[in-house]
Amino acid sequence: MKTELKAKFLQHLLAKKKANEGFTLIELLVVVIIIGILAAIALPSMLNQAAKARLSSAKNTIGAINRAQQAYRLENTNFAPDVTTLKLGVSTPDGYETPGITVNAGASAIAKTTSIDDQGTGVTGCVTVNNGITTSTIVTGANNNAPNCPAPSS
């Protein structure tokens, strides 16, 4: 019986030793390297999403200003000189300057906003009147300089 007891005790010790095994250092390093590679691939695209969201917000704001300018011109036969005159409930997009409006002799209105972050993207909205027909465009540019809108033709 003593030999059976010894054999069972040895089996018990071997089973206990296997239950206490963990991951080796190599296995942990491989997992950390894989996570690092995945983070290096995913991080730039996730950071770019925030800039895209700010740009989309700026485009939506300029689009709202364009539509309000069209409605204002239908009621008053001229364009509004600033955003407060339009009585819009839009706010300045995060990371962009307050939209400014330039009125060109009653034939066009240009609303322009520029990014104040490191990307420097500008968004310009144009409302022009050509032969009595009102058109609206939104243009995006880089390096703190949104492109100018097309000049109205009389």
Side-chain angles (χ1 to χ4, degrees):
M1 276 253 193
K2 285 188 175 184
T3 54
E4 285 181 31
L5 186 62
K6 285 182 184 177
K8 286 190 177 188
F9 181 67
L10 287 175
Q11 286 177 349
H12 174 70
L13 287 178
L14 288 174
K16 190 174 181 182
K17 184 179 178 186
K18 284 187 179 182
N20 288 337
E21 285 185 7
F23 294 108
T24 64
L25 183 60
I26 302 265
E27 291 171 332
L28 292 175
L29 285 175
V30 168
V31 169
V32 168
I33 289 171
I34 290 172
I35 290 173
I37 290 171
L38 291 175
I41 292 170
L43 192 62
S45 65
M46 288 192 320
L47 292 177
N48 196 19
Q49 292 302 320
K52 284 182 182 179
R54 284 193 301 271
L55 179 62
S56 177
S57 176
K59 284 181 180 180
N60 287 339
T61 299
I62 293 294
I65 292 171
N66 280 5
R67 289 185 295 279
Q69 280 287 24
Q70 289 176 345
Y72 187 89
R73 187 176 185 285
L74 283 173
E75 293 176 3
N76 300 303
T77 66
N78 60 353
F79 290 109
D82 53 25
V83 178
T84 56
T85 306
L86 293 174
K87 298 177 184 170
L88 280 176
V90 296
S91 61
T92 303
D94 291 339
Y96 281 83
E97 295 174 351
T98 303
I101 294 178
T102 305
V103 178
N104 179 15
S108 68
I110 300 171
K112 192 172 190 178
T113 185
T114 306
S115 173
I116 53 177
D117 62 2
D118 57 346
Q119 294 190 342
T121 305
V123 180
T124 302
C126 311
V127 180
T128 57
V129 179
N130 294 323
N131 300 323
I133 299 171
T134 306
T135 57
S136 174
T137 56
I138 296 177
V139 189
T140 306
N143 299 326
N144 288 328
N145 190 13
N148 291 328
C149 297
S153 60
S154 302

